[in-house]
């Protein structure tokens, strides 16, 4: 029997659809909360337990600090006992910033920066020699030892290889009391008006002192003062020039090249950051790439003349200032605007692209006089660059981008860092070298590096290396061995992003914490699932409590304790229908238990569809990690694209195929990844992509507004007799505009009461009692119901209510068909689960009339779906294919994969080890493949 202290006790939870439930969750165990999509799993785990944990944490702050944080609403629960500090790893996508990389998300790159700032050796980028730095006492000692009985000049460098006349600088030096300078190797007196050739490159040093080194003790003080003055004027660098010699010797307090005298500032972690001005490459601002104008895109067809649109950004001739300038350029360089681009002189093309500024004379044949013309032209190339870099408008930037290519920055060669930062080495590798290694190679590097370091380096770096090794190991444990630290987070697949976040959180190795995870198996191939479960078990074993909201069969079977919420979804859920060890599940008569024990199952189809014999063929795909992949998509079938995480599925479908189809049918602007050609587009007439992004971010968004059904309902209410008499239009029935809505709560139905140091309280609006509309609007009724009553109906109730209005009924029926009959029409979209939001999107697309030749693309449609929900979803998708459409799903779920007609398996591994077509064919054909990871798991399902 578990004692009270070892449990988390939740009493009277009523958040969203939870029905005043009491639940006991054992601590320091792996607990899975499962149930149908929308049954209340996330309401219990995140909106009750996590929300209360967060609120208690905020409560520990002072009242002064809390006013800046904003209060957290207390979840609707009587009490929660035994709660530890809570960390949630939710289903949020990673940052899309080009500056965010695997290294920055996991913080491994931050530790690398610290390591290089403290323990790396600096080398000169001129000679490759190891840089040196001296204290003032060491410099003094070296001067006395090396130049004994010799005459020397002590110089302070002020200008290094720069153009200019420097008259003001010489005046300034003279004011400071110095009388001589060394200019380009020659010592000269500073005379009034001294200046240099402004177009030549110069080196200038101030002559601080001239002295002969001897044993004289009086000289000691003079040398010390000279060193201080030289260091001050020369920015921590001084030069000693022996009389009669040409080559000086350099000394510096900073890191310095002993031969050429170049110096680096003292390294800090920021020196190695591509997000800081101290470390970033000045040319690309730390992005590693630049956009460069491509002249072939400006002159796409050399046979065309300027008048016929030969300059693509300008188009065909029109009476504008740009074309008048081109006319002047044509007169200056003796060509006509009707000449083909290929016949225009090179100097003229140079001016057209890069601009010019000159005045010239032309003989006017008609008037017999000379006329002055002036070219003041910015140049097409410069104009495109300035619009791309400075314009605030997204369409203008997009227009400019059409004529540019993304190229690796020529200055830093993609490393993102400035020159000096790349010459700090740790075991002969700079920080960019380490960032480009695969995680597995980097881990190997750090496992052997201890033996190659000096005693001093090891003492400094020991703790940092230990931290890096721990974090790398965790990335290896969750199967991300193929990634590199410089991989942009923008290019990560959903599964990779989820596991990186998990690695970051778990890498901290905290103890006594309650972790709540929201379906960590999303986007994971069955092969990787084992590693993930092992990582969660390790987290539990060091003394943490782990709660996982999950539908995955393997995860449920490996849990210590399972809580099943149901029996159905929405209003019909919110109750604990079974709890206990996984093996106890079979004793309960629940949907989850039936699928796990095999009482119910998603049956394998008896026969695979033949399709319509047509196909779309995509050849030569090389985006991201794809290795010249060519693939056929047979039409009129359900196609499954499978493969381990990071193998290239999303690159092939979402980044290559979909943008091509979208551009072809709907003029989409997204540029596809590189490919050679595509054929067969004439066999389909539109493409629909249903992705995983949320349907709305504000409480005003709801299923009725998103699917468009609310517009039809408002139009219907406006047609009622009473509304027509009063002159009400559809806008009167909107809660987002003034007129019909309640102005006290502005159509929200709720009012926020600010409680200063306590969390804000939401109460029903006292004017409309939560109905959102004013009294006059609510007086309009259709079949006895007001517009507010309609919003409170569930989809199931609304289908019956509007059965005689085909336009409304068709849209509602599709929502019901995807298994969402339990949600209400006006439910806030912020309260919808991930699975529900995706199915509303699917229902919206399904309600549009299909042509029988539509190509649907779904990216992991089983996200957040229970076994029973998957069965309902597959029925809907099968109906689509039966009408002649093509449905393509990117999926890991074996219940879906076994039901498709044709599989395209990408692999073999993730990252660099992936990007190849492993196998293609029916599930039965794939199952026989010896090399495919998918085949191994598919074989079990087809038995």
């Amino acid at each position: 029997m578990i004692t009270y202290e070892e449990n988390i006790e939740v009493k009277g939870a009523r958040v969203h659809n939870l029905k005043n439930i009491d639940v006991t969750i054992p601590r320091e165990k792996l607990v899975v909360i499962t149930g149908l999509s929308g049954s209340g799993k996330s309401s219990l785990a995140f909106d009750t337990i996590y929300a209360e944990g967060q609120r208690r944490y905020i409560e520990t702050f002072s009242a002064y600090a809390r006013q800046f944080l904003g209060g957290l609403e207390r979840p609707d629960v009587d009490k929660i006992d035994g709660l530890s500090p809570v960390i949630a790893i939710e289903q949020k996508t990673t940052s899309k910033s080009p500056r965010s990389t695997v290294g920055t998300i996991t913080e491994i790159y931050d530790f690398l920066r610290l390591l290089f700032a403290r323990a790396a050796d600096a080398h000169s980028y001129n000679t490759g020699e190891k840089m040196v730095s001296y204290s003032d006492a060491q410099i003094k000692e070296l001067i006395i030892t090396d130049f004994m009985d010799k005459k020397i000049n002590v110089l302070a460098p002020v200008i290094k290889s720069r153009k200019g006349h420097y008259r003001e600088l010489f005046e300034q030096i003279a004011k400071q009391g110095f009388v001589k300078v060394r200019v380009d190797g020659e010592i000269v007196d500073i005379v009034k008006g001294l200046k240099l050739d402004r177009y030549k490159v110069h080196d200038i040093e101030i002559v601080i002192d001239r002295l002969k080194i001897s044993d004289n003790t009086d000289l000691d003080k003079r040398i010390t003062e000279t060193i201080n003055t030289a260091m001050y004027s020369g920015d921590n660098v001084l030069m000693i020039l022996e009389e009669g010699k040409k080559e000086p010797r350099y000394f510096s307090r900073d890191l310095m090249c002993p031969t050429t005298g170049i110096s680096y500032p003292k390294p800090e972690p920021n020196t190695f950051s591509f997000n800081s001005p101290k470390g970033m490459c000045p040319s690309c601002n730390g992005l590693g790439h630049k956009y460069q104008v491509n002249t072939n895109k400006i002159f796409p067809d050399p046979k065309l003349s300027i008048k016929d649109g030969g300059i693509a950004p300008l188009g065909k001739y029109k009476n504008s200032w740009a074309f008048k300038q081109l006319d002047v350029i044509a007169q200056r360089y003796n060509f006509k605007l009707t000449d083909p681009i290929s016949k225009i002189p090179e100097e003229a093309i140079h001016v057209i692209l890069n601009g010019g500024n000159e005045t010239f004379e032309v003989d006017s044949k008609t008037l017999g006089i000379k006329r002055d013309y002036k070219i003041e032209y910015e140049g097409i190339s410069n104009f495109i660059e300035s619009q791309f870099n400075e314009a605030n408008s997204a369409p203008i930037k997009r227009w400019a981008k059409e004529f540019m290519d993304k190229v690796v920055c020529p200055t830093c060669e993609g490393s993102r860092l400035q020159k000096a930062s790349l010459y700090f080495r740790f075991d002969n590798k700079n920080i960019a070298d380490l960032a480009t290694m695969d995680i597995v190679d980097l881990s190997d590097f750090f496992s052997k590096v201890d033996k190659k370091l000096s005693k001093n380096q090891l003492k400094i770096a020991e703790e940092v290396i230990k931290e890096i090794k721990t974090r790398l190991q965790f990335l290896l444990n969750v199967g991300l061995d193929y990634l590199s630290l410089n991989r942009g987070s923008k290019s990560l697949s959903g599964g990779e992003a989820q596991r990186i976040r998990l690695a970051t959180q778990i890498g901290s190795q905290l103890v006594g914490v309650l972790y709540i995870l929201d379906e960590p198996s999303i986007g994971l191939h069955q092969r990787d699932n084992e590693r993930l479960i092992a990582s969660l078990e390790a987290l539990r074993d060091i003394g943490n409590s782990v709660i996982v909201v999950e539908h995955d069969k393997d995860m449920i079977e490996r849990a210590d304790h399972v809580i099943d919420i149901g029996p159905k979804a929405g209003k019909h859920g919110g109750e604990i229908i079974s709890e206990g060890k996984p093996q106890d599940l079979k004793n309960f008569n629940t949907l989850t238990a039936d699928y796990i024990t095999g009482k119910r199952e998603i049956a394998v189809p008896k026969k695979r569809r033949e399709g319509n014999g047509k196909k779309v063929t995509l050849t030569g795909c090389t985006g991201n990690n794809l290795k010249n992949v060519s693939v056929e998509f047979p039409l009129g079938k359900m196609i499954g694209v499978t493969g381990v995480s990071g193998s290239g599925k999303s690159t092939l479908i979402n980044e290559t195929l979909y943008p091509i189809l979208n551009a072809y049918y709907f003029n989409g602007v997204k540029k596809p990844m590189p490919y050679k050609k595509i054929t067969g587009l004439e066999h389909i007439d539109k493409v629909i992509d249903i992705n995983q992004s949320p349907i709305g971010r504000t409480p005003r968004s709801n299923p009725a507004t998103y699917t468009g059904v609310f517009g039809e309902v408002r139009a219907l209410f406006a047609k009622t007799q009473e509304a027509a008499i009063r002159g009400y239009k559809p806008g009167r029935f909107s809660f987002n505009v003034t007129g019909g809505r309640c102005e006290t709560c502005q159509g929200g139905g709720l009012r926020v009461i600010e409680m200063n140091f306590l969390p804000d309280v939401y109460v029903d609006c006292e004017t409309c009692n939560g109905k959102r509309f004013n009294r006059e609007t609510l007086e309009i009724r259709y079949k006895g119901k007001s517009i507010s009553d309609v919003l409170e109906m569930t989809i199931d109730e609304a289908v019956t209510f509007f059965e005689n209005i085909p336009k409304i009924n068709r849209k509602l029926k599709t929502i019901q068909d995807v298994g969402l009959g339990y949600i209400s029409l006006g439910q806030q979209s912020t309260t919808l689960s991930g699975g529900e939001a995706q199915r509303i999107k699917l229902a919206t697309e399904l309600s549009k009339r299909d042509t029988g030749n539509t190509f649907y693309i779904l990216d992991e449609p089983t996200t957040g779906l229970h076994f029973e929900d998957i069965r309902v979803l597959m029925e809907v998708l099968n109906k689509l294919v039966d009408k002649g459409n093509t449905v393509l799903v990117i999926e890991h779920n074996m219940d879906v994969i076994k039901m498709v007609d044709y599989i395209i398996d990408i692999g073999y591994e993730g990252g660099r080890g992936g990007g190849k077509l492993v196998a293609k064919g029916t599930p039965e054909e794939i199952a026989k493949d010896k090399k495919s990871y998918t085949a191994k798991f598919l074989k079990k399902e087809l038995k």
Side-chain angles (χ1 to χ4, degrees), residues 97-380:
S97 160
R99 297 189 175 279
S100 171
T101 66
V102 171
T104 58
I105 301 169
T106 56
E107 295 173 4
I108 293 172
Y109 193 75
D110 298 338
F111 284 107
L112 279 183
R113 292 196 291 118
L114 183 63
L115 180 69
F116 271 77
R118 301 289 175 262
D121 295 322
H123 294 261
S124 164
Y125 55 69
N126 279 347
T127 62
E129 292 172 89
K130 197 168 173 181
M131 303 285 265
V132 291
S133 66
Y134 302 108
S135 66
D136 288 6
Q138 285 174 315
I139 294 170
K140 184 171 152 187
E141 188 65 38
L142 283 166
I143 292 173
I144 292 169
T145 310
D146 296 354
F147 297 97
M148 183 56 76
D149 299 326
K150 290 176 183 173
K151 286 184 179 177
I152 60 167
N153 293 295
V154 180
L155 313 173
V158 284
I159 298 295
K160 188 91 175 154
S161 305
R162 275 168 39 207
K163 291 179 184 177
H165 58 65
Y166 297 113
R167 193 177 66 197
E168 292 87 354
L169 177 69
F170 293 131
E171 285 172 6
Q172 203 179 339
I173 293 168
K175 278 178 189 170
Q176 289 169 7
F178 299 109
V179 292
K180 289 183 185 290
V181 285
R182 181 172 179 259
V183 178
D184 301 332
E186 293 292 323
I187 292 176
V188 294
D189 292 325
I190 300 175
V191 292
K192 199 172 180 185
L194 175 66
K195 62 176 186 176
L196 311 177
D197 186 336
R198 63 181 300 181
Y199 298 109
K200 286 186 179 171
V201 173
H202 303 290
D203 291 329
I204 303 172
E205 296 95 30
I206 304 171
V207 179
I208 302 291
D209 200 356
R210 307 176 83 178
L211 64 164
K212 184 179 180 186
I213 305 295
S214 67
D215 289 335
N216 191 341
T217 48
D218 296 340
L219 203 63
D220 199 280
K221 191 180 174 191
R222 182 175 167 184
I223 293 174
T224 304
E225 284 174 1
T226 301
I227 289 171
N228 279 332
T229 310
M231 286 293 184
Y232 176 77
S233 301
D235 197 19
N236 285 343
V237 178
L238 67 80
M239 295 156 67
I240 302 292
L241 182 66
E242 192 182 333
E243 204 116 311
K245 295 245 177 114
K246 289 276 170 134
E247 290 304 314
R249 259 184 75 182
Y250 291 87
F251 296 93
S252 173
R253 289 173 182 163
D254 294 335
L255 291 164
M256 177 201 75
C257 171
T259 306
T260 60
I262 57 155
S263 68
Y264 300 163
K266 192 180 174 191
E268 300 166 16
N270 275 357
T271 310
F272 306 96
S273 169
F274 45 78
N275 293 327
S276 159
K278 285 190 174 177
M280 66 170 62
C281 163
S283 180
C284 63
N285 288 333
L287 292 175
H289 62 260
K290 291 175 83 172
Y291 281 93
Q292 200 168 284
V293 174
N294 181 343
T295 51
N296 293 332
K297 289 181 178 177
I298 291 175
F299 307 120
D301 185 357
K303 296 189 194 98
L304 279 178
S305 68
I306 292 176
K307 207 154 196 171
D308 291 337
I311 302 176
L314 296 180
K316 289 193 175 179
Y317 186 86
K318 46 187 140 346
N319 191 15
S320 68
W321 180 85
F323 278 102
K324 281 177 182 163
Q325 280 293 308
L326 288 170
D327 232 339
V328 175
I329 293 168
Q331 290 193 48
R332 169 73 180 85
Y333 292 100
N334 299 320
F335 70 90
K336 296 189 184 72
L337 297 189
T338 50
D339 293 348
I341 298 282
S342 54
K343 297 277 168 66
I344 296 174
E346 263 185 47
E347 312 93 85
I349 292 286
H350 180 78
V351 173
I352 290 170
L353 286 173
N354 303 306
N357 198 340
E358 63 172 305
T359 306
F360 61 95
E361 289 181 343
V362 173
D363 288 332
S364 172
K365 287 168 187 169
T366 48
L367 300 171
I369 57 170
K370 290 187 174 186
R371 294 186 64 177
D372 281 353
Y373 283 94
K374 192 170 187 188
I375 297 173
E376 269 188 14
Y377 193 56
E378 185 184 0
I380 298 277

Side-chain angles (χ1 to χ4, degrees), residues 698-702 734-737 740-752 762-766 768-774 788 791-792 826-828:
T698 68
R700 291 183 178 274
S701 163
N702 57 48
S734 167
F735 50 75
N736 287 327
V737 292
R741 72 181 182 185
C742 165
E743 285 305 321
T744 309
C745 60
Q746 298 194 321
L750 300 168
R751 274 207 325 120
V752 182
Y762 290 88
V763 293
D764 278 352
C765 168
E766 69 273 15
C768 66
N769 292 324
K771 294 193 181 296
R772 296 178 170 222
F773 297 92
N774 59 29
S788 179
L791 284 173
E792 284 173 17
Q827 185 172 338
Q828 296 173 1

Side-chain angles (χ1 to χ4, degrees), residues 555-820:
M555 188 81 80
I556 293 170
E557 287 173 344
R558 292 273 290 275
D560 301 314
H561 190 82
V562 179
I563 298 168
D564 195 0
I565 298 183
K568 291 279 182 3
K571 290 180 182 176
H572 312 296
E575 297 173 35
I576 305 285
I577 51 173
S578 76
E579 60 176 316
K581 290 192 165 62
Q583 52 269 36
D584 301 338
L585 274 184
K586 54 182 178 288
N587 304 330
F588 296 94
N589 186 22
T590 66
L591 281 170
T592 307
D594 287 353
Y595 277 102
I596 283 180
T597 55
K599 221 184 270 182
R600 288 179 189 236
E601 64 170 3
I602 297 170
V604 178
K606 293 184 175 66
K607 192 166 164 262
R608 307 283 174 193
R609 296 181 192 87
E610 293 298 321
N612 58 19
K614 294 168 185 165
K615 63 187 177 188
V616 170
T617 307
L618 182 59
T619 50
C621 301
T622 53
N624 288 343
N625 66 337
L626 294 179
K627 297 179 177 68
N628 202 18
V629 170
S630 298
V631 65
E632 290 177 355
F633 301 97
L635 302 178
K637 292 185 177 188
M638 191 184 295
I639 305 168
V641 179
T642 62
V644 297
S645 290
S647 59
K649 306 181 297 298
S650 293
T651 302
L652 179 65
I653 306 302
N654 296 335
E655 304 293 329
T656 311
L657 178 67
Y658 174 66
I660 295 169
L661 299 180
N662 197 30
Y664 183 80
Y665 299 112
F666 306 119
N667 299 322
V669 293
K670 187 176 176 187
K671 193 179 172 190
M673 289 277 186
Y675 71 100
K676 281 182 186 146
K677 70 169 186 175
I678 188 165
T679 57
L681 293 182
E682 65 279 5
H683 303 314
I684 48 180
D685 51 24
K686 67 172 175 173
V687 62
I688 291 170
D689 179 40
I690 301 164
N691 58 28
Q692 297 177 16
S693 55
I695 67 167
R697 298 183 188 279
T698 68
R700 291 183 178 274
S701 163
N702 57 48
T705 54
Y706 183 82
T707 55
V709 76
F710 195 50
E712 303 292 347
V713 171
R714 290 192 291 118
L716 179 67
F717 269 81
K719 285 177 188 165
T720 59
Q721 199 173 356
E722 184 64 25
I725 290 166
R726 295 190 187 189
Y728 291 169
K729 299 280 184 291
R732 176 85 198 190
F733 302 95
S734 167
F735 50 75
N736 287 327
V737 292
T738 50
R741 72 181 182 185
C742 165
E743 285 305 321
T744 309
C745 60
Q746 298 194 321
L750 300 168
R751 274 207 325 120
V752 182
I753 297 176
E754 290 183 10
M755 303 288 282
N756 289 335
F757 296 128
L758 292 170
D760 293 345
V761 175
Y762 290 88
V763 293
D764 278 352
C765 168
E766 69 273 15
T767 309
C768 66
N769 292 324
K771 294 193 181 296
R772 296 178 170 222
F773 297 92
N774 59 29
R775 185 174 52 79
E776 293 80 7
T777 308
L778 294 172
E779 284 170 359
I780 308 298
R781 307 219 161 221
Y782 173 76
K783 285 168 69 171
K785 300 279 186 191
S786 71
I787 188 87
S788 179
D789 296 333
V790 169
L791 284 173
E792 284 173 17
M793 285 180 185
T794 64
I795 302 293
D796 288 336
E797 291 164 355
V799 166
T800 314
F801 186 75
F802 292 110
E803 63 186 344
N804 298 324
I805 316 290
K807 253 185 171 179
I808 296 175
N809 187 267
R810 192 180 82 247
K811 287 183 177 177
L812 293 172
K813 193 85 181 72
T814 51
I815 302 176
Q816 191 183 40
D817 289 346
V818 294
L820 293 177

Side-chain angles (χ1 to χ4, degrees), residues 378-417:
E378 185 184 0
I380 298 277
S381 195
N382 295 337
F383 177 72
I384 289 170
E385 274 185 10
S386 69
Q387 290 301 307
F388 180 74
N389 294 323
E390 292 158 27
N392 294 323
S393 158
I396 289 176
K397 275 184 181 288
R398 205 160 52 225
W399 169 83
K401 212 169 173 181
E402 283 174 25
F403 307 104
M404 302 176 93
D405 285 341
K406 189 177 178 179
V407 295
V408 172
C409 170
T411 311
C412 66
E413 296 176 346
S415 71
R416 299 171 165 230
L417 296 169

Side-chain angles (χ1 to χ4, degrees), residues 911-928:
R912 290 181 198 174
K916 292 177 184 167
L917 181 62
V918 176
K920 56 181 183 175
T922 63
E924 286 73 19
E925 289 166 355
I926 297 286
K928 292 172 190 165

Side-chain angles (χ1 to χ4, degrees), residues 920-937:
K920 56 181 183 175
T922 63
E924 286 73 19
E925 289 166 355
I926 297 286
K928 292 172 190 165
D929 193 284
K930 297 275 193 304
K931 291 178 181 173
S932 165
Y933 286 117
T934 306
K936 194 171 125 192
F937 295 96

